[in-house]
Amino acid sequence: MERPAWAPRSINISVPSVSRMYDFYLGGSHNFEVDREAARRALEFMPGLPKIMQANRAFMRRAVRFAVEEGVTQFLDIGAGIPTFGSVHEVAQGAHPGARVVYVDHDPVAVAHSEAVLEGNDDAAVVAADLRKPREILSSPQMERLIDLNRPVALLLVAILHFVEDTDDPLGAVAELRDALAPGSLLILTHASYEGIPLPQERAEGAVDVYKNIRNPLIMRSREEIARFFEGYDMVEPGLVPMPTWRPDTAPEDEDPYAFSGFAGVGRAA
């Protein structure tokens, strides 16, 4: 398999990556055939996956604009993935020049591309780190340079927690991050769930099995389980809801049925 010029030498391009599969669903070009093969297998069971990803990105952009309107101009995006059009720094800095953004990901391709995209942008940086190790994120030079933890921060955990198994204590990691942030900080979160998917659960499980087979288990949690990540936050209206119904720009009834899969919400730290 020929290695593209943009692919870091350190990565194994024969193993699928969830961030590169996500890039493929969104129509990006920074993915390999092994990623596309895995994504196509998942699409056989759940053909609306690209619609879910698009709804996820649209919610993220609305939530970032909301944060700026609320006076929050610092953003920590963990599990950011490969930069695509309308990423956090573009939306935030477009709404408020000088907004500061730190991206975090453990995928070397995502990190390398973020570094390339952010070259020359003094108000944004990327950290190679893992959500499961909050201290490494919080103590990174990039965080210390860009983010003032004494002021409110918008913490984005968008389409990342459903790749963290309960044995890795995602609730503990989210709580540790919450405790490091100033009052008035925001938690912006989306999470996959069987609830809302316009398919029988047995068929959706076929797509979940694809992720399990590539050793990136997709953990489908209930709305009640997802709500626990917001402990210590006051929910912003309209609460924890399907993605298209969170402060929509257009009529939710015009959305594809798949867009209503899973949940999104924003919480404000007391």
Side-chain angles (χ1 to χ4, degrees):
M1 184 185 304
E2 186 176 348
R3 180 182 297 271
W6 51 263
R9 301 296 306 179
S10 58
I11 68 166
N12 184 348
I13 63 175
S14 66
V15 177
S17 152
V18 294
S19 65
R20 298 194 304 265
M21 290 170 67
Y22 189 96
D23 178 67
F24 171 72
Y25 293 136
L26 289 173
S29 59
H30 297 111
N31 47 76
F32 307 124
E33 183 56 31
V34 67
D35 306 308
R36 295 188 285 272
E37 286 177 2
R40 290 186 194 109
R41 287 199 300 274
L43 286 167
E44 289 176 7
F45 296 99
M46 202 183 300
L49 277 169
K51 293 294 183 183
I52 298 173
M53 309 308 171
Q54 291 163 18
N56 190 75
R57 297 286 295 185
F59 159 77
M60 178 273 289
R61 290 191 287 268
R62 296 195 305 276
V64 168
R65 289 196 297 269
F66 168 80
V68 172
E69 290 166 2
E70 293 291 299
V72 179
T73 58
Q74 303 187 110
F75 296 85
L76 174 58
D77 185 359
I78 302 179
I82 296 168
T84 57
F85 177 75
S87 292
V88 172
H89 72 283
E90 293 180 338
V91 178
Q93 293 173 354
H96 182 91
R100 296 190 161 193
V101 179
V102 172
Y103 290 117
V104 179
D105 209 287
H106 64 77
D107 185 319
V109 171
V111 172
H113 275 282
S114 295
E115 290 174 339
V117 167
L118 298 175
E119 187 174 357
N121 188 333
D122 294 335
D123 292 320
V126 59
V127 179
D130 194 310
L131 167 64
R132 293 168 292 189
K133 299 177 180 179
R135 291 182 188 177
E136 291 184 10
I137 297 170
L138 295 167
S139 64
S140 66
Q142 297 91 330
M143 280 289 292
E144 292 179 357
R145 178 173 72 85
L146 288 174
I147 304 296
D148 179 1
L149 291 175
N150 294 311
R151 294 173 45 234
V153 175
L155 169 62
L156 288 95
L157 299 176
V158 174
I160 178 64
L161 286 164
H162 48 235
F163 290 114
V164 183
E165 297 181 82
D166 290 339
T167 52
D168 287 324
D169 192 19
L171 285 167
V174 174
E176 187 171 343
L177 290 163
R178 178 199 65 214
D179 292 345
L181 302 182
S185 293
L186 300 174
L187 172 59
I188 297 171
L189 181 151
T190 65
H191 198 296
S193 176
Y194 285 121
E195 297 175 42
I197 296 177
L199 284 174
Q201 180 171 325
E202 295 75 20
R203 184 163 179 80
E205 285 172 352
V208 172
D209 286 343
V210 171
Y211 284 89
K212 187 185 300 182
N213 292 338
I214 64 170
R215 299 180 183 176
N216 279 283
L218 181 57
I219 312 302
M220 305 290 268
R221 296 186 172 98
S222 68
R223 184 183 182 281
E224 182 178 351
E225 290 171 322
I226 297 166
R228 294 184 63 197
F229 290 113
F230 286 97
E231 290 177 3
Y233 291 91
D234 296 324
M235 293 301 296
V236 170
E237 288 295 331
L240 185 61
V241 295
M243 292 178 288
T245 61
W246 195 91
R247 300 183 178 233
D249 294 329
T250 57
E253 55 266 26
D254 294 338
E255 292 283 351
D256 185 282
Y258 274 98
F260 295 86
S261 307
F263 293 96
V266 175
R268 181 181 286 107

